[in-house]
Amino acid sequence: LRLVMCPIAGLSHARNAAISEAGGEVLCFIDDDAIAAPDLLEHLWRAYDEHPEVGVVGGHIVLKPPQPRPSALRPGREPLWSHFVTPHVHYTEVTKWYEYPWGANWSARRRALVEIGGFRTRYGRRGHNYWGGEEVVAACLLQQLGYKVAVVPQAQVLHDVVKPRGPYRLNLMTFGR
């Protein structure tokens, strides 16, 4: 475990710092308030191992609503709180930007991210700006280079949003041969 400090504010800058410092073949990003299933990396690695053309793989993000449930979290609005559960039951390649996996449970081949120059820094959370999208832009760019984008529903994280948000922290896991 190694702490990498990024002196420039913003999630995209932090992700780019992770790309430059990581040594693994695959970089797996989850939110600081996400809890990875024990077999998350196993499912992700299997997808990369069995599908060499895939550049991005993400899984389901299951929201654990805060209790008491905030009035802003009305039924049907869970995706606004990063709940991402697809109808897919197995590895599925997706081709449209709105089907792409979300940043709270997102991984990519390191070499592919280097090919596109990392995450675009005009996107992503910064300070009190909670807009994201940098991972969708990265997936679009990778798809344009010929990489596939896939969802593996078994690769799950639990999005536990009970704690108050402070400075954004990034959890990164790498793996490879």
Side-chain angles (χ1 to χ4, degrees):
L1 180 64
R2 183 168 49 113
L3 176 63
V4 176
M5 298 299 292
C6 180
I8 304 168
L11 183 55
S12 293
H13 290 291
R15 288 179 185 225
N16 289 337
I19 294 168
S20 68
E21 295 289 327
E25 284 180 50
V26 173
L27 307 183
C28 175
F29 300 91
I30 67 170
D31 279 4
D32 62 342
D33 56 0
I35 302 163
D39 56 357
L40 173 74
L41 296 180
E42 179 183 329
H43 289 291
L44 293 174
W45 182 251
R46 185 176 305 121
Y48 286 103
D49 194 43
E50 293 175 0
H51 304 275
E53 69 287 352
V54 74
V56 173
V57 179
H60 284 178
I61 304 163
V62 178
L63 175 65
K64 179 181 176 188
Q67 296 302 322
R69 190 177 179 111
S71 60
L73 182 54
R74 295 188 180 125
R77 290 191 176 175
E78 292 83 2
L80 297 174
W81 291 57
S82 292
H83 180 76
F84 178 76
V85 176
T86 69
H88 307 303
V89 293
H90 301 292
Y91 171 95
T92 302
E93 291 176 3
V94 293
T95 58
K96 310 237 180 346
W97 68 267
Y98 52 83
E99 301 172 308
Y100 291 167
W102 295 356
N105 186 3
W106 194 92
S107 69
R109 292 186 190 276
R110 183 180 180 279
R111 75 170 186 268
L113 289 171
V114 169
E115 281 183 60
I116 62 167
F119 292 93
R120 299 302 180 261
T121 56
R122 59 187 278 206
Y123 298 96
R125 293 175 183 246
R126 184 178 314 122
H128 292 291
N129 174 355
Y130 294 109
W131 288 101
E134 73 284 352
E135 77 281 6
V136 173
V137 173
C140 287
L141 293 170
L142 291 171
Q143 189 180 49
Q144 289 176 2
L145 291 179
Y147 289 98
K148 304 291 184 187
V149 179
V151 173
V152 176
Q154 294 79 14
Q156 291 192 15
V157 300
L158 178 68
H159 191 211
D160 187 355
V161 293
V162 295
K163 61 185 173 188
R165 306 279 306 169
Y168 200 87
R169 293 184 312 274
L170 172 69
N171 294 324
L172 168 74
M173 298 169 274
T174 69
F175 52 90
R177 295 189 198 319

